[in-house]
Amino acid sequence: MGANEHQVCIGNEAVWGRESADGDEALLGMDLVRLGLERADTAEGAVDVVTELLEKYGQGGSCMEDESGFTYHNSFLISDRREAWLLETSGKYWAAEKVAGGYRNISNQYSITTKIDKEHPGMREYAQSKGWWDGKSQFNFATVYSYATTARMEAAGSRYCEGKKLLKKSNGHITAETMMAILRDKDSGINMEGMFLTTGSMVSVIPTNLSLPAVHYFTATPDPERSVFKPFIFVKHINALKETTSPSYGPNDPVKKKPRFQSKPDRKHELFVKHELVAAIIDSHKDRGTKITEFMRELEKKLMTQMEKIFSDGIEEPDLFANLFSRSVQQEMEAYNKS
């Protein structure tokens, strides 16, 4: 997931369907997120960037730093100040839907049905050649390219359905706090534990008013329930985010050598390491853990209150926010040191 200076935001999820996700190395979904953000200045532009790259280079390769061969296709939720798009892929084939309004979520399944606003020119013909579609009935992307029917997806007690319910509950008055609460929800499976622990979380507030800045809140740490959402604003003279930048191994990085993944380097940044220790305290010392969690929420509330003033007044001196995220990280780490 991520955002760029044009306030284009992209979220990415793994999806599986009839088409095998096993294949040669190509672009990962995470590569496509980064390239879309690097090259696009609108949400629709990002759809075009991602799909052009997909058609030219394909997608594939292991998504984990080991030899497990964990592979998948990708779905993307893409937005800017004006609109949002849902893009779902299967190999080099894809469909995109412009989100008309309200709310939309993605998880580990296809959700584009009959409303398709853009598509790979050969998508339907390919499905017909595989026997997935008869060429006569109404084309439903999720039904044609998925293992299961759309009805079965909606009925399943999945993260997708639970996320949809939580969003519906707040439809019309969804705030940053609403989104943070949803991302922290463990009963729904959205805030994941175990092998696929939620590694980082992000909430973006993008005003339609061009004179107002967008604020992107990042945890930069696992498990949002035990993390602080900290604000970041794109300004011209932004400073390096040292405390949340993973170590660089350059050309010696095992991910850049073939055969891949012969060793696994330590990619934990400074905040991640401190947070890991604090998370262990929260788990093992109830009273101390409660106090630490209370501090996290207090700091987060304080930071969000500061941002509310920006949404109402705008920014007169952008460079004052060049260290906004880093200052917030330092406040968090100082508190961890005291704990």
Side-chain angles (χ1 to χ4, degrees):
M1 61 196 170
N4 69 17
E5 71 275 22
H6 304 291
Q7 316 316 330
V8 176
C9 301
I10 307 180
N12 167 226
E13 280 277 7
V15 288
W16 295 269
R18 296 180 196 264
E19 184 80 354
S20 171
D22 297 331
D24 296 332
E25 284 189 1
L27 293 171
L28 300 177
M30 294 167 277
D31 295 323
L32 293 167
V33 168
R34 287 187 281 267
L35 290 162
L37 292 172
E38 177 194 61
R39 301 179 184 187
D41 57 7
T42 66
E44 186 173 4
V47 171
D48 295 339
V49 168
V50 170
T51 54
E52 285 168 15
L53 290 167
L54 189 64
E55 290 176 28
K56 186 173 182 179
Y57 298 106
Q59 60 181 322
S62 179
C63 303
M64 298 180 73
E65 285 195 289
D66 56 37
E67 296 179 317
S68 64
F70 183 65
T71 60
Y72 49 76
H73 304 296
N74 292 274
S75 68
F76 305 89
L77 197 53
I78 308 173
S79 67
D80 60 22
R81 288 187 187 268
R82 298 184 302 108
E83 61 187 28
W85 286 79
L86 178 58
L87 169 63
E88 296 185 335
T89 71
S90 178
K92 69 176 183 179
Y93 298 100
W94 57 272
E97 176 188 347
K98 187 174 180 179
V99 180
Y103 56 89
R104 195 63 179 263
N105 63 309
I106 59 173
S107 191
N108 301 123
Q109 59 191 49
Y110 294 114
S111 60
I112 293 177
T113 56
T114 57
K115 183 182 182 298
I116 300 174
D117 298 299
K118 288 189 169 195
E119 64 185 80
H120 185 287
M123 178 191 69
R124 300 184 192 221
E125 183 182 348
Y126 180 74
Q128 192 172 358
S129 73
K130 300 288 281 187
W132 302 338
W133 179 54
D134 60 13
K136 298 174 184 176
S137 57
Q138 185 178 33
F139 188 87
N140 181 312
F141 181 80
T143 299
V144 170
Y145 276 87
S146 296
Y147 290 123
T149 66
T150 308
R152 282 173 61 191
M153 287 180 191
E154 293 291 343
S158 63
R159 289 199 304 153
Y160 172 75
C161 295
E162 292 302 311
K164 199 171 178 180
K165 287 177 193 172
L166 291 168
L167 287 166
K168 185 178 181 180
K169 197 183 295 184
S170 299
N171 189 28
H173 48 90
I174 295 173
T175 63
E177 290 89 343
T178 304
M179 293 307 302
M180 290 172 188
I182 290 174
L183 292 177
R184 284 175 168 140
D185 193 286
K186 290 191 173 178
D187 292 339
S188 64
I190 291 170
N191 183 7
M192 295 180 71
E193 299 179 281
M195 181 179 177
F196 292 101
L197 173 72
T198 295
T199 309
S201 301
M202 166 185 166
V203 171
S204 294
V205 182
I206 316 291
T208 54
N209 184 342
L210 295 175
S211 67
L212 295 176
V215 177
H216 307 276
Y217 295 96
F218 297 94
T219 60
T221 51
D223 186 354
E225 177 62 26
R226 298 184 300 189
S227 295
V228 178
F229 280 92
K230 299 166 285 292
F232 174 92
I233 296 175
F234 282 98
V235 293
K236 189 173 182 180
H237 302 294
I238 197 76
N239 293 322
L241 308 178
K242 294 179 181 177
E243 299 88 353
T244 52
T245 298
S246 294
S248 173
Y249 296 92
N252 294 318
D253 194 316
V255 78
K256 295 181 180 178
K257 294 180 177 180
K258 290 186 178 181
R260 310 282 188 204
F261 313 122
Q262 298 304 295
S263 63
K264 189 172 182 178
D266 184 356
R267 299 197 187 279
K268 297 173 183 176
H269 53 65
E270 186 180 352
L271 176 63
F272 193 106
V273 171
K274 289 188 180 294
H275 179 270
E276 201 169 42
L277 294 171
V278 167
I281 294 171
I282 293 173
D283 284 342
S284 55
H285 301 279
K286 186 177 179 181
D287 291 342
R288 285 178 69 190
T290 300
K291 288 180 181 177
I292 292 169
T293 304
E294 286 174 355
F295 156 75
M296 287 178 169
R297 295 295 179 274
E298 287 170 9
L299 174 59
E300 186 176 279
K301 188 175 180 180
K302 175 185 166 187
L303 293 169
M304 293 185 75
T305 301
Q306 292 171 3
M307 295 304 102
E308 286 300 324
K309 185 169 171 51
I310 289 172
F311 288 132
S312 60
D313 301 345
I315 292 179
E316 290 185 8
E317 297 181 64
D319 285 351
L320 292 177
F321 296 91
N323 288 312
L324 174 64
F325 187 80
S326 294
R327 279 200 307 270
S328 304
V329 168
Q330 285 159 8
Q331 286 178 270
E332 183 179 1
M333 291 199 298
E334 284 167 12
Y336 289 166
N337 290 337
K338 292 175 185 175
S339 68

